[in-house]
Amino acid sequence: MKAWWAGLMLVMVGLVMAIHALAADPLRVKSDRWLEIRRPIGQVIYSRRKTSQPVHNGMRLQSVGDTITTKQGSSVVLGIDVGTGLVKVSENTTITVQKLETGNKGQRITELLVLSGQVNLQVRPLTKNASR
C-alpha cells in the first residue's frame, strides 16, 4: 500500500512540475528580427565580438551581442523592424542588443542594454500583451 501511495505522489509531483514549466515561459521562435541603422552622424561604430566597423545607413543589427558606440558629437537612430518605434542614440553612448525574439503568439521582444550614455525611445502602443 505504501508503494502505491509513493508512486502516486511521484506522478503527481511530476505533473505539477511539468505544468509549471510549460506555463513559466512561452516558446521562443527564431525569427527575422532586426534594428536598422538610420541617419548616422559622425563617428558611429558597430562591433560584434572582436570585429568593428563604421556603420552605414541601412545596416542591420540582427544578433544578440551586436553593439553600437557613438563618439563625441555623433548620433544615430535605430529603427525597430516592424515600425514599432525608434531608438535615438546620443553621443558618447554604447548600446548592445540583449534580445530580439518573437514568441509563439506573435509577441515581439526587443531588449537593449545601454552600457553608457543616453538613448531616447519613441515607441507606438504595442498590440500584443506580452510584447516588450
Side-chain angles (χ1 to χ4, degrees):
M1 184 81 161
K2 285 185 179 180
W4 183 82
W5 276 105
L8 180 61
M9 290 302 290
L10 185 61
V11 169
M12 294 296 288
V13 168
L15 285 173
V16 168
M17 288 176 63
I19 290 169
H20 179 61
L22 287 173
D25 197 19
L27 175 68
R28 303 288 182 226
V29 179
K30 177 85 172 135
S31 65
D32 189 23
R33 301 284 321 281
W34 68 86
L35 298 164
E36 183 180 62
I37 300 290
R38 299 181 186 169
R39 300 189 304 265
I41 297 171
Q43 192 177 6
V44 182
I45 305 297
Y46 162 83
S47 59
R48 183 159 190 239
R49 294 187 183 105
K50 294 183 180 186
T51 63
S52 63
Q53 65 184 30
V55 301
H56 56 81
N57 209 32
M59 180 182 226
R60 290 183 174 180
L61 309 180
Q62 295 180 287
S63 300
V64 169
D66 287 356
T67 300
I68 293 293
T69 301
T70 58
K71 302 294 183 179
Q72 182 73 34
S74 302
S75 64
V76 69
V77 175
L78 304 176
I80 302 172
D81 56 6
V82 292
T84 305
L86 301 173
V87 180
K88 295 179 179 180
V89 183
S90 299
E91 66 179 346
N92 298 320
T93 299
T94 299
I95 185 170
T96 299
V97 175
Q98 293 290 93
K99 218 181 250 191
L100 283 174
E101 298 177 349
T102 301
N104 61 349
K105 295 182 181 172
Q107 68 273 24
R108 294 178 180 264
I109 296 118
T110 304
E111 291 183 13
L112 304 171
L113 175 62
V114 180
L115 297 167
S116 63
Q118 185 176 9
V119 299
N120 181 306
L121 302 175
Q122 290 183 334
V123 181
R124 69 166 169 74
L126 303 174
T127 57
K128 306 263 184 197
N129 288 338
S131 291
R132 55 184 198 269

